[in-house]
Amino acid sequence: MKCSICGQPAILNLRHHMLRLCAPHFMEWFPEQVARSIKRYRMFGPQDRILVAVSGGKDSLALWDALLRLGYQADGMYINLGIKERTCHSQTSDGLSQPGDYSGKSLERVRAFAAQRPGARYQVVDVAAEYGLNVPDLARRNHRSAKMCSLCGLVKRHIMNRAAYQGGYAAIATGHNLDDEVATLLQNALHWETGYLARQAPVLPSTHPRLVRKVKPLARMYERDSAAYALVQGIDYIYDECPYAEGAKSIFFKKLFNQIENLSTGTKSQFYLQFLKARQQGRIAFPQLEAGEEDDAPRSLLRDCDKCGQPTSSADLCAFCRLWEET
Ligand code: SF4
Ligand code: ZN
């Protein structure tokens, strides 16, 4: 198998692009594709400061790497959720993670990544240190362990939104890839979740001054491509899924899409891009988004949370601040 560009031995067959690439050309191709998406969907400009949500996984680190290589002012942000692997309850005493400390191990990957890239800046928010409980303990205390991921999502969105607003960032970038997007799209379509479908796009515009725009520069990249990029680039990422993701429906849908893709190359890409096109052309329409993703209420009903100041439709506290009041 030879590289389609230079004829040297190829390391990757990008069947969906009808392209075979050697390592050096793949290393050029990946950031170029990221840059194209940023431009095509007008995600942000060259002078904008971007906050990258990094988890220590391959996608977010590959994205951060590509943005830095493209010359963007991309700062990382890691939220330490305090998640342990389920077989072990070890705790850190010397700042280093022990076996079983999933969040600690993920943070180590982020630190190592930044240490190898002069000028890469990042911040860490430790949920337990900042608010008094880590996310699994918060879920237990609020009797929401069965809905751990929705509670965790709320915590992460809130912390990212506040940090981006307070830091004056133009956009929050996440590492969602095409496999993530099609799995979510199919799940939402199966239940005709119009609210979620309306939000599914490479760019979620800002709908309130305190809710910074969200962008997904990898939304058109296959998961295997970002994994290959991380591997070839020598990025040490956390390979295991979060223990709470085990058995998640999204994993089932990803496997399903991989089977379909094996039978019919390009299906993932078609499914996603045709959805975006149909919406752009008005062939499918959703109710106008009026507020940010933290609150579905019309903008006119939003007020500032009494405690944190983030927008909410509730009379006093936003959903995040209410979490910490519950018993
Ligand atoms: Fe949080 Fe669930 Fe993601 Fe784990 S899988 S980080 S618990 S949202
Ligand atoms: Zn609040």
Side-chain angles (χ1 to χ4, degrees), residues 208 210 299-306 309-317:
H208 185 282
R210 287 207 189 89
R299 171 82 192 271
S300 56
L301 296 182
L302 291 180
R303 50 178 295 284
D304 296 349
C305 168
D306 286 350
Q310 283 295 100
T312 179
S313 60
S314 93
D316 40 31
L317 300 182

Side-chain angles (χ1 to χ4, degrees), residues 158 162 294 304-310 312 316-322:
H158 179 89
R162 277 187 80 184
E294 281 200 49
D304 296 349
C305 168
D306 286 350
K307 196 167 169 190
C308 71
Q310 283 295 100
T312 179
D316 40 31
L317 300 182
C318 70
F320 174 84
C321 289
R322 272 202 310 274

Side-chain angles (χ1 to χ4, degrees), residues 133 137-145 151 322-327:
L133 282 176
D137 287 343
L138 175 68
R140 262 188 292 278
R141 195 204 64 175
N142 290 14
H143 313 293
R144 293 208 204 168
S145 294
L151 181 142
R322 272 202 310 274
L323 277 181
W324 302 94
E325 304 281 312
E326 291 174 17
T327 54

Side-chain angles (χ1 to χ4, degrees), residues 60-135:
S60 58
L61 291 181
L63 170 63
W64 193 12
D65 183 87
L67 292 177
L68 291 172
R69 287 183 69 194
L70 289 166
Y72 287 105
Q73 300 178 66
D75 297 343
M77 165 126 183
Y78 179 79
I79 302 176
N80 189 340
L81 303 162
I83 291 175
K84 307 280 180 252
E85 284 153 12
R86 293 189 168 184
T87 49
C88 181
H89 300 282
S90 56
Q91 184 52 282
T92 60
S93 57
D94 53 2
L96 296 172
S97 70
Q98 303 288 313
D101 181 1
Y102 180 79
S103 290
K105 285 181 186 173
S106 306
L107 175 55
E108 276 177 20
R109 302 309 197 282
V110 173
R111 287 198 167 124
F113 175 97
Q116 289 163 4
R117 287 160 181 81
R121 298 187 312 173
Y122 68 100
Q123 54 179 301
V124 177
V125 173
D126 186 305
V127 177
E130 196 103 351
Y131 299 97
L133 282 176
N134 64 35
V135 172

Side-chain angles (χ1 to χ4, degrees), residues 140-182:
R140 262 188 292 278
R141 195 204 64 175
N142 290 14
H143 313 293
R144 293 208 204 168
S145 294
K147 297 204 165 173
M148 171 72 177
C149 287
S150 76
L151 181 142
C152 180
L154 169 62
V155 169
K156 288 191 290 190
R157 279 195 303 277
H158 179 89
I159 292 174
M160 284 303 296
N161 279 333
R162 277 187 80 184
Y165 170 68
Q166 289 171 350
Y169 288 94
I172 295 171
T174 58
H176 293 95
N177 58 42
L178 180 64
D179 294 50
D180 297 320
E181 292 301 290
V182 290

